[in-house]
Amino acid sequence: MTVQRVLILEDNLIIAMEAEEILRLIGVKEVEIASNLEQAVNAIHTERYDFAMLDVNLGESMSFGFARLLVERGIAFGFVSGYPDTLDFPPDMRHVPLLNKPFDEAAMWAFVDRLASVDDPSSSQP
């Protein structure tokens, strides 16, 4: 999969801009930042994305409900979090790729590669 368009759901503008910068460095053409759930929901109703990056903790809410909406719409996604693993996530979200904060370009490459292979049916294990 060639990643052309990514949605970032992140309530911290500095982290969102850092993620956007790294994504552009690794070849993503279009990056949209949503700072809250309402913006993110509106974005997926009006645009198509190759995948989404979701901050887990959005201050007053968590992004798990939005993640389930992405599953319904067939949009690949991964979580970005300061949490070290997904053990405390809801059971249906524990398998989702996780990019730990703080992240660097190498970690972002690995994260994007994992998301691309999740979305690529040819990468499925028999």
Side-chain angles (χ1 to χ4, degrees), residues 60-78:
E60 295 184 12
S61 62
M62 304 293 265
S63 63
F64 300 124
F66 182 68
R68 291 180 184 102
L69 180 60
L70 294 176
V71 170
E72 290 174 11
R73 292 183 162 250
I75 300 171
F77 66 93

Side-chain angles (χ1 to χ4, degrees), residues 26-53:
I26 65 176
V28 175
K29 303 290 185 227
E30 294 182 50
V31 178
E32 184 167 341
I33 297 171
S35 62
N36 60 52
L37 290 170
E38 182 181 356
Q39 289 176 355
V41 169
N42 288 339
I44 65 165
H45 285 308
T46 58
E47 300 292 339
R48 180 75 187 145
Y49 297 93
D50 295 313
F51 72 81
M53 298 175 56

Side-chain angles (χ1 to χ4, degrees), residues 97-109:
L98 176 66
L99 175 62
N100 291 108
K101 296 177 188 177
F103 50 81
D104 59 15
E105 188 174 340
M108 182 69 79
W109 265 110

